[in-house]
Amino acid sequence: MEILELQSNHKRLLFYGSCHSNDPEDPMFDDIERRLFAFDPELVLVEGGYHEPIIENRAEAIENGESAFVTHLAGQLDVPTGNLEPGDDDTIAHLLERWSAESILSMLVLRQVIQLQRDAENREVDFLSDMTRHISGWADDGLEVIDMDADLSMELMELLEPSLGGNRDTSSWQSWPAEALIYDGEDAELHEIWLATINYRDHYS
């Protein structure tokens, strides 16, 4: 975790490189709140573009992670939020130059599974509801792969079968080896797509 406060003439920047957490006992959240309120920002840039909807309840915001919490604090301060990263539509358009929509969506779904597996340690997760929201958004951004009027559970398992193998269903999502497939490279293609996403984001930022 890295925290920087920089100043040049009359311009000031607070950079808070946090860990990913939704643990209500994590002292990081109190530290973020203390520093942000003391800094009194005019604009808050949030990793991953989590800037809507604003969660009004503090505890609920923490349950949804540090990005949701910072957005909550920006709402308390009545200051605008923005995104440090390119939008999903730009990123997906970039990835489609090299990979199929099905492979890109598989990576995005499994990357979200990693997040939900982490979240489930501290809050109740409605897996299919969360996936419906994300997949619908990715479809709007160019990945119209899954029929949203069909059985989402069956559609997901058909999409992910090449990576996860057979004999699985969405009820076992908490045991899916998503991190090994994406981050550790057990699925070489999805690992490459993830790396390309990171490189594109870093170049943009």
Side-chain angles (χ1 to χ4, degrees), residues 33-159:
E33 185 171 26
R34 178 181 61 81
R35 289 176 184 271
L36 194 63
F37 275 73
F39 190 78
D40 193 22
E42 296 178 353
L43 173 68
V44 175
L45 298 176
V46 184
E47 178 194 10
Y50 195 123
H51 53 274
E52 60 180 26
I54 294 176
I55 298 174
E56 301 291 343
N57 180 272
R58 186 182 191 276
E60 185 182 350
I62 290 174
E63 286 182 353
N64 283 271
E66 69 287 345
S67 294
F69 181 63
V70 170
T71 303
H72 160 80
L73 295 178
Q76 297 294 305
L77 291 166
D78 195 25
V79 298
T81 59
N83 193 353
L84 277 172
E85 302 177 4
D88 282 348
D89 54 346
D90 289 333
T91 303
I92 287 169
H94 173 72
L95 296 174
L96 283 170
E97 294 176 3
R98 182 173 175 187
W99 290 284
S100 71
E102 289 78 8
S103 293
I104 297 167
L105 183 59
S106 294
M107 188 280 292
L108 291 172
V109 166
L110 288 172
R111 190 179 63 175
Q112 186 61 26
V113 167
I114 295 169
Q115 178 65 50
L116 293 178
Q117 289 172 339
R118 184 184 302 123
D119 287 355
E121 296 175 5
N122 294 293
R123 71 175 177 91
E124 185 175 342
V125 172
D126 186 334
F127 177 73
L128 289 178
S129 176
D130 188 275
M131 279 299 164
T132 297
R133 178 168 57 87
H134 280 87
I135 291 171
S136 179
W138 292 324
D140 291 342
D141 290 325
L143 295 179
E144 297 183 83
V145 174
I146 285 183
D147 181 357
M148 300 305 294
D149 294 324
D151 183 318
L152 181 61
S153 183
M154 292 183 63
E155 291 278 306
L156 271 176
M157 297 322 301
E158 182 177 346
L159 174 75

Side-chain angles (χ1 to χ4, degrees), residues 4-56:
L4 301 173
E5 290 197 35
L6 307 174
Q7 182 166 348
S8 176
N9 297 323
H10 299 295
K11 298 179 180 179
R12 297 167 60 233
L13 172 69
L14 168 64
F15 174 86
Y16 200 108
S18 71
C19 301
H20 290 305
S21 176
N22 70 334
D23 181 356
E25 301 300 319
D26 193 330
M28 176 186 72
F29 292 105
D30 287 338
D31 187 52
I32 290 173
E33 185 171 26
R34 178 181 61 81
R35 289 176 184 271
L36 194 63
F37 275 73
F39 190 78
D40 193 22
E42 296 178 353
L43 173 68
V44 175
L45 298 176
V46 184
E47 178 194 10
Y50 195 123
H51 53 274
E52 60 180 26
I54 294 176
I55 298 174
E56 301 291 343

